[in-house]
Amino acid sequence: MHTWTFERPGVLRFRVPESWRRPDGASVRTVRLAIQLGMRALLRTYSRLEVVGRENLPLDRSFVMICNHSSHLDAVCLLASLPLARIHNAFPVAAADYFFSTPLRSCVSTIAVNGVPLDRHNGSDSLQACRQLLAQPKTALIIFPEGTRTCSGTLGRFRSGVARLVAGTDVPVVPCYLSGAFEVWPKGQLLPRPGALRLFIGHPRTFADTVAADRDAVARVSLQLRDDVVALGERTFGKKGLSTPLHPLAAAATPEGAHRSPLQNIPFVLHPSGRPWRCRRSVDRLAAHARRWRVPPPSGPHADR
C-alpha cells in the first residue's frame, strides 16, 4: 500500500494510507452544512438526542472533547452539541486505516463530519498534527481516548494520547458521556435501531502544570480524565453503573476475566447467550472456529486411565 503526505494547508501534514488531497472550499462547506442539518434532525426525531451541559463548552477558545466510545453515533452526537457556526472548525479524530482506507470512506469522513485521520502506526506525527489544529483559533478536537468502540458496553482503559496532547498546555479538555448509543447502534450491527440518546457535557479541565515527558504524570492525567467521564456516566447508571458490567458474562472484557482466543491470543468477550463473541467477527463464524479447535475427548483402550 502506498503512503503519501496528507496535507491541509497550514495545519495538517502527516502520512496516511490514501492517495488523494483533502477536499475543501465553499462547495464542501455547503454540503457539510446540509449533511449536519439532516443528521441533527434525525438525531432529534429518530434517536431523541438530548444534550445536557452545553453551557460548559468553552466556545471562546480551542478545546478538546473526549467521550466514551460505543458506536459510530458518538462523533455525530458530539458534533450536534456544537453550534452550526463551529462545525467547519470541529475535527473528530478517526482511525486512518478504517475511515480513510478507501476513496469513498475518505470523502464521507472528510466532507460529512470533517474527520481527521489518525495514523495509529505513527502516533507522534498524529499528535503533532492535533497540536497544530489546536493552535488555530476556536478549534474543537473530538477524541475518543479508548481508541476503539466497546464490545460490551463498559468503559475501557484510556490511552495516553490525549494526556500527552494536553499536558503542559492551557488547552481545556471537556469530558462527555453519551448514554444509549451502545443499545442503539452497537459494534457489528448494520444499521441503528430507534432509541433514546443522552449526552452529558462536563466542566473543562486544564493540565498546564503537568510535564508531558513524565510518564507517571501523564498516566495520572489519563486516570483523571477517565474518572471525569465515569462521573458523568453515573448520572445515568448510578454510582456502580460503569464499574459493574452490563451482563455477568461481560466480565470477560476486563483483564481479570479475559479469555484467550486459540487462534490469535487476543481477548474476546462472551455473548450473553454463553457463546464466544468477538468484535469484527460473527458469532456463527467464531462458533465454527471453537468447534474446529476443540480438543476431542480421549478414546481407545487407555481412555479411562
Side-chain angles (χ1 to χ4, degrees), residues 167-182:
T169 70
D170 59 351
V171 176
V173 183
V174 182
C176 304
Y177 185 85
L178 180 63
S179 66
F182 181 75

Side-chain angles (χ1 to χ4, degrees), residues 40-54:
R40 295 183 183 210
L42 286 174
L43 287 174
R44 292 176 182 175
T45 55
Y46 187 75
S47 300
R48 305 192 302 277
L49 174 64
E50 178 185 2
V51 180
V52 180
R54 189 181 273 114

